[in-house]
């Protein structure tokens, strides 16, 4: 298999998971760099060119609240789940768990 094909499939596989990871990470307010660092500490490497547009899109959809706060000598925009974001995270988590369980069974049995 070509490396290019693998990269495309890997990207496809990661897309939905990244949204879920960002939503779950924003249960507590974080600014962009702290969010990226937190994701990386959990094994999810997300470059800024992917993370910041995703966070802005989620905020535009009403799933995140944001506010400017003074932190470590400078202002930073902090993001956290809105009530709609909390509700969506709960539903997506359930969907993820069901899908993950089904995939685990398929991958284990090969059927």
């Amino acid at each position: 298999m070509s490396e290019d094909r693998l990269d495309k499939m890997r990207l496809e596989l990661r897309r939905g998971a990244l949204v879920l990871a960002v939503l779950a990470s924003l249960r507590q307010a974080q600014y962009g760099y702290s969010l990226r660092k937190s994701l990386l500490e959990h094994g999810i490497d997300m470059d800024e060119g992917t993370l910041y547009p995703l966070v802005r899109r989620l905020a535009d959809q009403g799933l995140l609240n944001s506010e400017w706060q003074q932190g470590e000598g400078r202002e930073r925009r902090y993001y956290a789940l809105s009530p709609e974001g909390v509700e969506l995270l709960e539903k997506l988590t359930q969907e993820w768990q069901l899908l993950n369980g089904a995939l685990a069974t398929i991958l284990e049995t090969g059927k």
Side-chain angles (χ1 to χ4, degrees):
M1 175 188 314
S2 74
E3 196 66 30
D4 186 48
R5 179 181 288 169
L6 176 60
D7 287 343
K8 286 179 183 175
M9 291 296 177
R10 185 181 295 133
L11 181 62
E12 227 174 282
L13 187 62
R14 285 175 46 99
R15 273 196 185 113
L18 293 177
V19 170
L20 187 57
V22 168
L23 289 172
S25 296
L26 289 173
R27 289 182 187 117
Q28 302 294 320
Q30 296 191 65
Y31 60 95
Y33 178 75
S34 68
L35 174 58
R36 186 168 185 249
K37 186 175 167 186
S38 173
L39 290 167
L40 189 56
E41 287 171 358
H42 288 92
I44 298 173
D45 188 9
M46 208 169 168
D47 65 52
E48 293 174 5
T50 301
L51 178 61
Y52 293 118
L54 173 58
V55 168
R56 282 191 295 273
R57 190 178 83 234
L58 294 172
D60 289 345
Q61 293 172 354
L63 301 172
L64 303 178
N65 293 325
S66 69
E67 67 179 9
W68 288 97
Q69 294 179 11
Q70 191 72 25
E72 298 176 22
R74 57 185 267 201
E75 275 202 335
R76 294 187 166 122
R77 183 176 291 274
Y78 281 77
Y79 295 90
L81 290 179
S82 68
E84 282 182 64
V86 170
E87 185 179 337
L88 181 65
L89 175 59
E90 289 172 6
K91 291 178 180 178
L92 288 178
T93 299
Q94 291 170 0
E95 289 293 324
W96 178 263
Q97 290 169 341
L98 289 171
L99 181 60
N100 199 36
L103 280 171
T105 301
I106 292 168
L107 291 171
E108 287 172 12
T109 63
K111 297 180 183 176

